[in-house]
Amino acid sequence: MWTSNTLAKNIKTTMKRINITLFALMLLGILFSCTKASINYTQNGNWVGRAFFPGPPQGFGVAFTANNFAYVGLGINPLTPNQRLTAFYKYTPQQINTASPTGYDSASGFWTAVAVFPGPARSNAIAFTVQNIGYVGTGLANDGFTPLADFYSYNPGSNSWSQIDSLHDDNGVMYPRFDAVAWGFDSVGYVLTGTDNNQYFADVWKYSPATGHWTQKPYLVGNPRSGATAWVYNNQGYILAGYTPSSQKAVNNMCYDFWKFDPNIAESTNSALSPWTRLRDIYNTNPGTYDDGYTNIIRKYGVGFIMLKQPTGDKGYITLGQNGTSVNYTWEYDFATDLWTEKTPFEGTARSGAVGFTLNDPNGGYSRGFVGTGLGTGNASGFSDLEEFFPNQIYNQYD
Protein backbone atom coordinates (compact mmCIF):
# COMPACT_ATOMS: atom_id res chain seq x y z
CA MET A 1 0.00 0.00 0.00
CA TRP A 2 1.25 3.44 -0.93
CA THR A 3 1.59 5.87 1.93
CA SER A 4 2.19 9.56 1.64
CA ASN A 5 5.75 9.06 2.90
CA THR A 6 6.42 6.27 0.39
CA LEU A 7 4.98 8.34 -2.47
CA ALA A 8 7.05 11.37 -1.51
CA LYS A 9 10.16 9.22 -1.27
CA ASN A 10 9.55 7.71 -4.72
CA ILE A 11 8.92 11.11 -6.26
CA LYS A 12 12.12 12.46 -4.68
CA THR A 13 14.13 9.48 -5.99
CA THR A 14 12.65 9.85 -9.48
CA MET A 15 13.35 13.59 -9.57
CA LYS A 16 16.91 12.97 -8.44
CA ARG A 17 17.42 10.49 -11.29
CA ILE A 18 15.92 12.96 -13.78
CA ASN A 19 18.19 15.75 -12.53
CA ILE A 20 21.24 13.50 -12.77
CA THR A 21 20.27 12.49 -16.32
CA LEU A 22 19.67 16.09 -17.38
CA PHE A 23 22.97 17.17 -15.86
CA ALA A 24 24.80 14.35 -17.65
CA LEU A 25 23.17 15.31 -20.96
CA MET A 26 24.02 18.95 -20.42
CA LEU A 27 27.63 18.09 -19.54
CA LEU A 28 27.87 15.85 -22.59
CA GLY A 29 26.50 18.65 -24.80
CA ILE A 30 28.98 21.16 -23.41
CA LEU A 31 31.84 18.70 -23.82
CA PHE A 32 30.82 17.92 -27.40
CA SER A 33 30.44 21.56 -28.37
CA CYS A 34 33.77 22.50 -26.79
CA THR A 35 35.49 19.59 -28.47
CA LYS A 36 33.98 20.51 -31.82
CA ALA A 37 35.03 24.15 -31.50
CA SER A 38 38.48 23.10 -30.40
CA ILE A 39 38.91 20.80 -33.38
CA ASN A 40 37.72 23.42 -35.86
CA TYR A 41 39.98 26.07 -34.40
CA THR A 42 43.18 24.34 -33.38
CA GLN A 43 43.64 21.81 -36.14
CA ASN A 44 42.94 23.95 -39.19
CA GLY A 45 46.20 25.80 -39.68
CA ASN A 46 48.75 28.00 -37.97
CA TRP A 47 49.96 31.55 -38.62
CA VAL A 48 53.64 32.27 -37.91
CA GLY A 49 55.14 35.75 -37.68
CA ARG A 50 57.80 36.82 -40.16
CA ALA A 51 60.03 39.91 -40.52
CA PHE A 52 58.09 43.13 -40.19
CA PHE A 53 57.59 45.25 -43.30
CA PRO A 54 60.20 48.04 -43.07
CA GLY A 55 58.08 50.88 -44.43
CA PRO A 56 55.54 52.84 -42.42
CA PRO A 57 52.42 50.97 -41.26
CA GLN A 58 50.28 50.99 -44.37
CA GLY A 59 47.54 49.41 -46.42
CA PHE A 60 46.07 49.18 -49.92
CA GLY A 61 49.48 48.66 -51.49
CA VAL A 62 50.41 46.04 -54.08
CA ALA A 63 52.53 42.90 -54.20
CA PHE A 64 54.03 40.84 -56.99
CA THR A 65 56.61 38.06 -57.11
CA ALA A 66 59.61 37.49 -59.38
CA ASN A 67 62.42 34.95 -59.16
CA ASN A 68 60.94 33.70 -55.87
CA PHE A 69 61.14 37.10 -54.18
CA ALA A 70 58.16 39.26 -53.22
CA TYR A 71 57.97 42.98 -53.99
CA VAL A 72 55.62 45.15 -51.92
CA GLY A 73 55.00 48.87 -52.25
CA LEU A 74 52.69 51.87 -52.74
CA GLY A 75 49.62 52.30 -50.49
CA ILE A 76 48.38 54.57 -47.71
CA ASN A 77 50.04 55.55 -44.46
CA PRO A 78 47.02 56.44 -42.26
CA LEU A 79 49.09 59.14 -40.52
CA THR A 80 49.46 60.97 -43.85
CA PRO A 81 46.44 59.78 -45.86
CA ASN A 82 46.75 62.53 -48.50
CA GLN A 83 50.31 61.54 -49.31
CA ARG A 84 50.19 58.17 -50.99
CA LEU A 85 53.40 56.15 -51.06
CA THR A 86 55.93 55.29 -53.79
CA ALA A 87 58.50 53.15 -51.92
CA PHE A 88 59.01 49.46 -52.77
CA TYR A 89 60.71 46.69 -50.80
CA LYS A 90 61.84 43.17 -51.65
CA TYR A 91 61.13 40.27 -49.29
CA THR A 92 63.59 37.37 -49.25
CA PRO A 93 62.16 34.24 -47.60
CA GLN A 94 64.32 32.18 -45.28
CA GLN A 95 64.50 28.44 -45.72
CA ILE A 96 62.72 26.52 -42.98
CA ASN A 97 64.93 24.11 -41.04
CA THR A 98 62.40 21.37 -40.34
CA ALA A 99 64.98 19.44 -38.30
CA SER A 100 65.13 22.21 -35.70
CA PRO A 101 62.43 22.57 -33.02
CA THR A 102 62.44 26.32 -33.71
CA GLY A 103 62.85 26.01 -37.48
CA TYR A 104 59.38 27.22 -38.38
CA ASP A 105 59.46 30.14 -35.95
CA SER A 106 62.95 31.35 -36.83
CA ALA A 107 62.57 31.51 -40.64
CA SER A 108 61.76 35.22 -40.56
CA GLY A 109 63.28 36.26 -43.88
CA PHE A 110 64.32 39.86 -44.50
CA TRP A 111 63.40 43.00 -46.44
CA THR A 112 65.52 45.19 -48.74
CA ALA A 113 64.62 48.56 -50.24
CA VAL A 114 64.53 48.64 -54.05
CA ALA A 115 64.05 51.39 -56.63
CA VAL A 116 61.24 53.83 -55.87
CA PHE A 117 58.13 53.65 -58.06
CA PRO A 118 58.53 56.41 -60.69
CA GLY A 119 54.89 57.23 -61.28
CA PRO A 120 52.55 59.39 -59.20
CA ALA A 121 52.06 58.12 -55.64
CA ARG A 122 48.95 55.98 -55.29
CA SER A 123 46.98 53.34 -53.42
CA ASN A 124 44.42 50.71 -54.48
CA ALA A 125 46.51 49.80 -57.53
CA ILE A 126 47.14 46.37 -59.05
CA ALA A 127 50.19 44.31 -59.95
CA PHE A 128 50.98 41.17 -61.92
CA THR A 129 54.07 39.30 -63.12
CA VAL A 130 54.94 38.04 -66.59
CA GLN A 131 58.25 36.22 -67.14
CA ASN A 132 59.72 37.58 -63.90
CA ILE A 133 58.95 41.20 -64.77
CA GLY A 134 56.55 43.04 -62.47
CA TYR A 135 53.79 45.30 -63.81
CA VAL A 136 52.07 47.91 -61.64
CA GLY A 137 49.34 50.36 -62.55
CA THR A 138 45.93 51.98 -62.10
CA GLY A 139 44.93 53.05 -58.57
CA LEU A 140 43.85 56.13 -56.60
CA ALA A 141 45.79 59.39 -56.71
CA ASN A 142 46.82 61.44 -53.68
CA ASP A 143 43.43 63.15 -53.49
CA GLY A 144 41.84 59.77 -52.73
CA PHE A 145 39.32 60.27 -55.53
CA THR A 146 40.99 60.47 -58.94
CA PRO A 147 41.40 57.08 -60.68
CA LEU A 148 44.56 56.36 -62.66
CA ALA A 149 45.27 54.42 -65.86
CA ASP A 150 49.08 54.59 -66.17
CA PHE A 151 51.31 51.50 -65.95
CA TYR A 152 54.95 50.72 -65.22
CA SER A 153 57.17 47.65 -65.43
CA TYR A 154 59.88 46.65 -62.96
CA ASN A 155 62.98 44.68 -63.93
CA PRO A 156 64.48 42.97 -60.86
CA GLY A 157 67.74 42.27 -62.69
CA SER A 158 68.50 45.96 -63.23
CA ASN A 159 66.41 47.22 -60.28
CA SER A 160 64.76 49.71 -62.62
CA TRP A 161 61.30 50.89 -63.65
CA SER A 162 60.01 51.78 -67.13
CA GLN A 163 56.73 53.39 -68.10
CA ILE A 164 54.60 51.32 -70.46
CA ASP A 165 51.30 51.85 -72.25
CA SER A 166 48.48 53.15 -70.09
CA LEU A 167 45.24 51.17 -70.01
CA HIS A 168 43.43 52.33 -73.17
CA ASP A 169 41.62 51.03 -76.24
CA ASP A 170 42.60 51.24 -79.90
CA ASN A 171 41.10 54.72 -80.15
CA GLY A 172 43.21 56.03 -77.31
CA VAL A 173 40.32 56.18 -74.83
CA MET A 174 41.66 55.70 -71.30
CA TYR A 175 40.02 53.38 -68.78
CA PRO A 176 41.25 54.58 -65.37
CA ARG A 177 40.15 52.67 -62.30
CA PHE A 178 41.04 51.48 -58.83
CA ASP A 179 40.24 48.40 -56.74
CA ALA A 180 40.64 46.21 -59.84
CA VAL A 181 42.31 42.77 -59.93
CA ALA A 182 44.98 41.34 -62.21
CA TRP A 183 46.35 38.01 -63.43
CA GLY A 184 49.82 37.25 -64.76
CA PHE A 185 50.11 34.29 -67.15
CA ASP A 186 53.06 32.81 -69.06
CA SER A 187 53.37 35.59 -71.64
CA VAL A 188 50.55 38.08 -71.00
CA GLY A 189 48.83 39.89 -68.14
CA TYR A 190 45.18 40.70 -67.55
CA VAL A 191 43.41 43.55 -65.75
CA LEU A 192 39.71 43.41 -64.95
CA THR A 193 36.87 44.86 -62.86
CA GLY A 194 37.30 47.83 -60.49
CA THR A 195 35.59 51.20 -60.29
CA ASP A 196 36.20 54.84 -61.25
CA ASN A 197 33.82 56.24 -58.60
CA ASN A 198 31.07 56.54 -61.22
CA GLN A 199 30.60 52.97 -62.39
CA TYR A 200 31.68 49.42 -61.59
CA PHE A 201 33.42 47.45 -64.29
CA ALA A 202 33.19 43.93 -65.65
CA ASP A 203 35.53 44.61 -68.58
CA VAL A 204 38.68 42.54 -69.18
CA TRP A 205 41.93 43.80 -70.72
CA LYS A 206 44.95 41.81 -71.91
CA TYR A 207 48.44 43.28 -71.95
CA SER A 208 51.11 41.75 -74.16
CA PRO A 209 54.70 42.67 -73.22
CA ALA A 210 55.76 41.49 -76.68
CA THR A 211 53.66 44.15 -78.42
CA GLY A 212 53.32 46.65 -75.58
CA HIS A 213 49.62 46.80 -76.40
CA TRP A 214 46.30 46.41 -74.55
CA THR A 215 43.46 44.38 -76.08
CA GLN A 216 39.92 44.10 -74.72
CA LYS A 217 38.66 40.57 -74.08
CA PRO A 218 35.22 39.06 -73.24
CA TYR A 219 33.58 40.71 -70.27
CA LEU A 220 33.24 38.97 -66.93
CA VAL A 221 29.87 37.23 -67.13
CA GLY A 222 29.18 37.76 -63.43
CA ASN A 223 28.65 40.89 -61.41
CA PRO A 224 30.66 44.03 -62.13
CA ARG A 225 32.62 44.64 -58.95
CA SER A 226 35.48 46.26 -57.11
CA GLY A 227 37.73 45.00 -54.33
CA ALA A 228 37.57 41.39 -55.56
CA THR A 229 40.09 38.62 -54.88
CA ALA A 230 42.02 36.84 -57.64
CA TRP A 231 44.30 33.83 -58.10
CA VAL A 232 46.19 32.24 -60.99
CA TYR A 233 46.31 28.45 -60.98
CA ASN A 234 47.28 26.07 -63.81
CA ASN A 235 47.29 28.99 -66.26
CA GLN A 236 43.67 29.80 -65.37
CA GLY A 237 42.44 33.00 -63.73
CA TYR A 238 40.03 32.95 -60.78
CA ILE A 239 37.96 35.85 -59.44
CA LEU A 240 35.67 35.84 -56.41
CA ALA A 241 34.09 38.08 -53.77
CA GLY A 242 34.17 41.89 -54.00
CA TYR A 243 31.62 44.70 -53.81
CA THR A 244 28.89 45.17 -56.42
CA PRO A 245 26.09 47.74 -56.76
CA SER A 246 23.91 44.91 -58.06
CA SER A 247 21.57 42.89 -55.87
CA GLN A 248 21.91 39.86 -58.14
CA LYS A 249 24.40 37.17 -57.10
CA ALA A 250 25.11 39.23 -53.98
CA VAL A 251 24.20 39.57 -50.31
CA ASN A 252 24.27 43.14 -49.01
CA ASN A 253 26.18 44.05 -52.20
CA MET A 254 28.87 41.44 -51.46
CA CYS A 255 29.35 39.19 -54.50
CA TYR A 256 28.94 35.46 -54.04
CA ASP A 257 29.47 34.42 -57.67
CA PHE A 258 32.82 32.75 -58.38
CA TRP A 259 34.40 32.47 -61.85
CA LYS A 260 37.26 30.82 -63.72
CA PHE A 261 38.79 32.33 -66.87
CA ASP A 262 40.65 30.39 -69.57
CA PRO A 263 43.01 32.69 -71.52
CA ASN A 264 43.47 30.08 -74.26
CA ILE A 265 39.76 30.10 -75.06
CA ALA A 266 39.84 33.91 -74.94
CA GLU A 267 42.31 33.76 -77.84
CA SER A 268 40.17 31.29 -79.80
CA THR A 269 38.48 32.35 -83.04
CA ASN A 270 35.47 30.19 -82.12
CA SER A 271 32.95 32.74 -80.90
CA ALA A 272 30.70 29.95 -79.62
CA LEU A 273 33.16 29.22 -76.82
CA SER A 274 33.21 31.30 -73.65
CA PRO A 275 36.39 31.68 -71.63
CA TRP A 276 34.29 31.97 -68.47
CA THR A 277 33.17 29.06 -66.27
CA ARG A 278 30.99 29.66 -63.24
CA LEU A 279 32.11 27.73 -60.18
CA ARG A 280 30.06 26.99 -57.08
CA ASP A 281 28.86 30.07 -55.21
CA ILE A 282 30.72 31.11 -52.07
CA TYR A 283 27.48 31.55 -50.13
CA ASN A 284 24.71 29.19 -49.03
CA THR A 285 22.66 29.37 -52.24
CA ASN A 286 22.44 25.67 -53.09
CA PRO A 287 19.62 23.42 -51.77
CA GLY A 288 22.27 20.83 -50.95
CA THR A 289 24.18 20.76 -47.68
CA TYR A 290 27.77 21.26 -48.84
CA ASP A 291 27.51 25.05 -48.58
CA ASP A 292 25.50 25.32 -45.34
CA GLY A 293 28.57 26.64 -43.54
CA TYR A 294 29.49 29.22 -46.18
CA THR A 295 28.46 32.12 -43.98
CA ASN A 296 31.50 34.39 -43.98
CA ILE A 297 33.45 33.87 -47.22
CA ILE A 298 31.89 36.87 -48.99
CA ARG A 299 33.74 40.16 -48.47
CA LYS A 300 35.53 42.96 -50.28
CA TYR A 301 39.27 43.73 -50.13
CA GLY A 302 40.06 40.11 -49.27
CA VAL A 303 43.61 38.80 -49.64
CA GLY A 304 44.27 35.79 -51.84
CA PHE A 305 47.16 33.37 -52.24
CA ILE A 306 47.62 29.77 -53.39
CA MET A 307 49.64 26.88 -52.00
CA LEU A 308 50.75 23.98 -54.17
CA LYS A 309 52.03 20.46 -53.53
CA GLN A 310 50.34 20.08 -50.17
CA PRO A 311 49.64 16.59 -48.85
CA THR A 312 45.96 17.18 -49.53
CA GLY A 313 46.45 18.78 -52.95
CA ASP A 314 46.65 22.29 -54.37
CA LYS A 315 44.62 24.95 -52.57
CA GLY A 316 43.60 28.59 -52.83
CA TYR A 317 43.03 30.87 -49.83
CA ILE A 318 41.13 34.02 -48.96
CA THR A 319 41.54 35.90 -45.70
CA LEU A 320 40.97 39.37 -44.17
CA GLY A 321 38.85 42.07 -45.85
CA GLN A 322 35.61 43.88 -45.05
CA ASN A 323 32.00 42.86 -44.70
CA GLY A 324 30.38 45.58 -42.64
CA THR A 325 33.55 45.67 -40.54
CA SER A 326 37.05 44.26 -40.89
CA VAL A 327 37.17 40.45 -40.82
CA ASN A 328 39.90 37.84 -40.34
CA TYR A 329 38.05 34.69 -41.45
CA THR A 330 40.25 32.39 -43.52
CA TRP A 331 38.91 29.88 -46.05
CA GLU A 332 40.62 27.21 -48.13
CA TYR A 333 39.48 26.30 -51.64
CA ASP A 334 40.11 22.87 -53.12
CA PHE A 335 40.75 23.20 -56.86
CA ALA A 336 40.00 19.50 -57.39
CA THR A 337 36.57 19.43 -55.73
CA ASP A 338 35.36 23.05 -56.01
CA LEU A 339 34.63 23.02 -52.25
CA TRP A 340 35.63 25.26 -49.33
CA THR A 341 36.88 24.54 -45.79
CA GLU A 342 37.14 27.13 -43.03
CA LYS A 343 40.62 27.46 -41.54
CA THR A 344 42.17 29.19 -38.54
CA PRO A 345 41.45 32.94 -38.74
CA PHE A 346 44.32 35.29 -39.50
CA GLU A 347 46.17 35.60 -36.21
CA GLY A 348 46.80 39.35 -36.31
CA THR A 349 44.26 42.15 -36.08
CA ALA A 350 41.39 42.02 -38.57
CA ARG A 351 41.99 44.47 -41.41
CA SER A 352 41.52 45.27 -45.08
CA GLY A 353 43.88 46.45 -47.80
CA ALA A 354 46.53 43.87 -46.89
CA VAL A 355 48.72 42.11 -49.46
CA GLY A 356 49.24 38.41 -50.05
CA PHE A 357 51.77 36.47 -52.08
CA THR A 358 53.02 32.96 -52.74
CA LEU A 359 56.67 31.88 -52.83
CA ASN A 360 58.13 28.45 -53.55
CA ASP A 361 60.09 26.36 -51.11
CA PRO A 362 63.69 26.08 -52.44
CA ASN A 363 63.75 22.37 -51.61
CA GLY A 364 60.86 21.64 -53.93
CA GLY A 365 58.32 21.23 -51.16
CA TYR A 366 54.89 22.83 -51.14
CA SER A 367 54.68 26.55 -51.81
CA ARG A 368 54.42 29.11 -49.02
CA GLY A 369 51.69 31.72 -48.47
CA PHE A 370 52.25 35.12 -46.83
CA VAL A 371 49.92 37.94 -45.75
CA GLY A 372 50.89 41.34 -44.36
CA THR A 373 50.33 45.10 -43.91
CA GLY A 374 46.80 46.53 -44.15
CA LEU A 375 44.55 49.09 -42.47
CA GLY A 376 42.19 48.62 -39.54
CA THR A 377 38.48 49.42 -39.53
CA GLY A 378 37.91 52.98 -40.67
CA ASN A 379 41.48 53.14 -42.04
CA ALA A 380 42.54 54.80 -38.79
CA SER A 381 45.47 52.48 -38.08
CA GLY A 382 48.06 50.72 -40.21
CA PHE A 383 49.99 47.49 -39.82
CA SER A 384 53.51 46.31 -40.69
CA ASP A 385 53.34 42.67 -39.62
CA LEU A 386 53.83 39.75 -41.98
CA GLU A 387 52.46 36.27 -41.30
CA GLU A 388 53.09 32.96 -43.02
CA PHE A 389 50.30 30.37 -43.09
CA PHE A 390 50.80 26.65 -42.49
CA PRO A 391 47.43 25.06 -43.31
CA ASN A 392 48.25 21.61 -41.94
CA GLN A 393 49.76 22.61 -38.60
CA ILE A 394 47.98 22.82 -35.25
CA TYR A 395 47.27 26.39 -34.21
CA ASN A 396 49.81 27.91 -31.82
CA GLN A 397 48.97 31.35 -30.45
CA TYR A 398 52.61 31.95 -29.42
CA ASP A 399 54.15 31.71 -32.93
Side-chain angles (χ1 to χ4, degrees):
M1 177 182 295
W2 291 93
T3 65
S4 59
N5 289 337
T6 302
L7 181 61
K9 184 177 180 181
N10 287 338
I11 291 174
K12 185 176 181 180
T13 300
T14 302
M15 290 301 297
K16 185 175 181 180
R17 289 173 178 171
I18 291 174
N19 287 337
I20 291 173
T21 302
L22 289 175
F23 178 76
L25 290 173
M26 181 180 69
L27 185 61
L28 183 62
I30 292 174
L31 181 62
F32 176 80
S33 64
C34 290
T35 303
K36 185 178 180 181
S38 177
I39 289 174
N40 285 341
Y41 188 68
T42 65
Q43 295 186 5
N44 276 343
N46 189 36
W47 294 92
V48 180
R50 295 303 182 221
F52 276 68
F53 180 72
Q58 65 188 79
F60 292 96
V62 297
F64 62 88
T65 61
N67 299 312
N68 211 38
F69 300 102
Y71 296 83
V72 178
L74 307 182
I76 304 171
N77 176 356
L79 299 180
T80 56
N82 294 323
Q83 297 178 14
R84 262 61 174 179
L85 304 170
T86 57
F88 260 85
Y89 300 87
K90 179 177 75 172
Y91 177 72
T92 301
Q94 184 175 343
Q95 184 174 335
I96 297 172
N97 181 6
T98 56
S100 169
T102 61
Y104 285 93
D105 293 340
S106 60
S108 296
F110 60 91
W111 294 90
T112 308
V114 298
V116 172
F117 181 73
R122 68 195 64 199
S123 64
N124 304 75
I126 51 173
F128 60 87
T129 304
V130 176
Q131 297 177 346
N132 286 315
I133 300 294
Y135 295 85
V136 178
T138 70
L140 270 177
N142 263 334
D143 61 8
F145 182 82
T146 303
L148 302 169
D150 54 334
F151 259 87
Y152 303 80
S153 66
Y154 175 76
N155 186 328
S158 60
N159 187 29
S160 61
W161 293 89
S162 301
Q163 187 166 9
I164 63 172
D165 235 10
S166 297
L167 182 58
H168 66 83
D169 64 17
D170 290 339
N171 298 317
V173 177
M174 297 288 182
Y175 289 86
R177 66 193 62 205
F178 61 95
D179 289 346
V181 295
W183 300 314
F185 296 117
D186 291 340
S187 60
V188 297
Y190 279 79
V191 173
L192 60 158
T193 66
T195 181
D196 63 0
N197 281 317
N198 294 313
Q199 58 183 323
Y200 289 81
F201 300 115
D203 55 346
V204 179
W205 296 86
K206 182 189 79 171
Y207 178 73
S208 170
T211 65
H213 186 66
W214 292 94
T215 306
Q216 192 165 15
K217 290 299 179 181
Y219 276 58
L220 170 65
V221 183
N223 284 328
R225 68 192 72 196
S226 67
T229 301
W231 306 313
V232 172
Y233 172 70
N234 274 354
N235 207 43
Q236 309 272 294
Y238 292 74
I239 180 171
L240 65 152
Y243 176 88
T244 179
S246 172
S247 60
Q248 295 183 347
K249 306 183 190 74
V251 176
N252 297 325
N253 301 115
M254 297 293 166
C255 302
Y256 59 67
D257 54 331
F258 179 21
W259 297 87
K260 180 172 68 173
F261 178 83
D262 188 331
N264 294 319
I265 295 179
E267 296 300 313
S268 171
T269 58
N270 187 348
S271 59
L273 298 176
S274 172
W276 292 101
T277 300
R278 186 171 180 180
L279 303 171
R280 289 173 172 172
D281 292 340
I282 59 172
Y283 195 73
N284 183 15
T285 60
N286 191 283
T289 59
Y290 72 86
D291 60 355
D292 288 353
Y294 292 5
T295 58
N296 54 27
I297 307 177
I298 57 173
R299 67 196 70 188
K300 63 180 179 179
Y301 302 135
V303 180
F305 58 94
I306 64 171
M307 297 184 69
L308 309 180
K309 298 182 180 179
Q310 295 189 67
T312 56
D314 299 342
K315 312 291 184 184
Y317 295 88
I318 184 172
T319 189
L320 301 178
Q322 287 183 21
N323 187 357
T325 188
S326 296
V327 300
N328 63 354
Y329 307 117
T330 300
W331 285 80
E332 176 187 83
Y333 176 72
D334 190 320
F335 290 102
T337 64
D338 192 20
L339 294 173
W340 292 85
T341 302
E342 189 166 10
K343 307 295 284 186
T344 302
F346 181 78
E347 191 170 328
T349 305
R351 67 194 72 176
S352 59
V355 297
F357 52 86
T358 299
L359 298 174
N360 296 318
D361 184 87
N363 291 327
Y366 62 79
S367 52
R368 300 166 64 181
F370 300 82
V371 174
T373 70
L375 299 183
T377 300
N379 295 349
S381 59
F383 300 96
S384 299
D385 53 334
L386 179 70
E387 301 277 338
E388 181 174 357
F389 187 54
F390 294 92
N392 301 308
Q393 287 188 4
I394 295 176
Y395 170 71
N396 182 352
Q397 63 178 323
Y398 301 108
D399 283 334

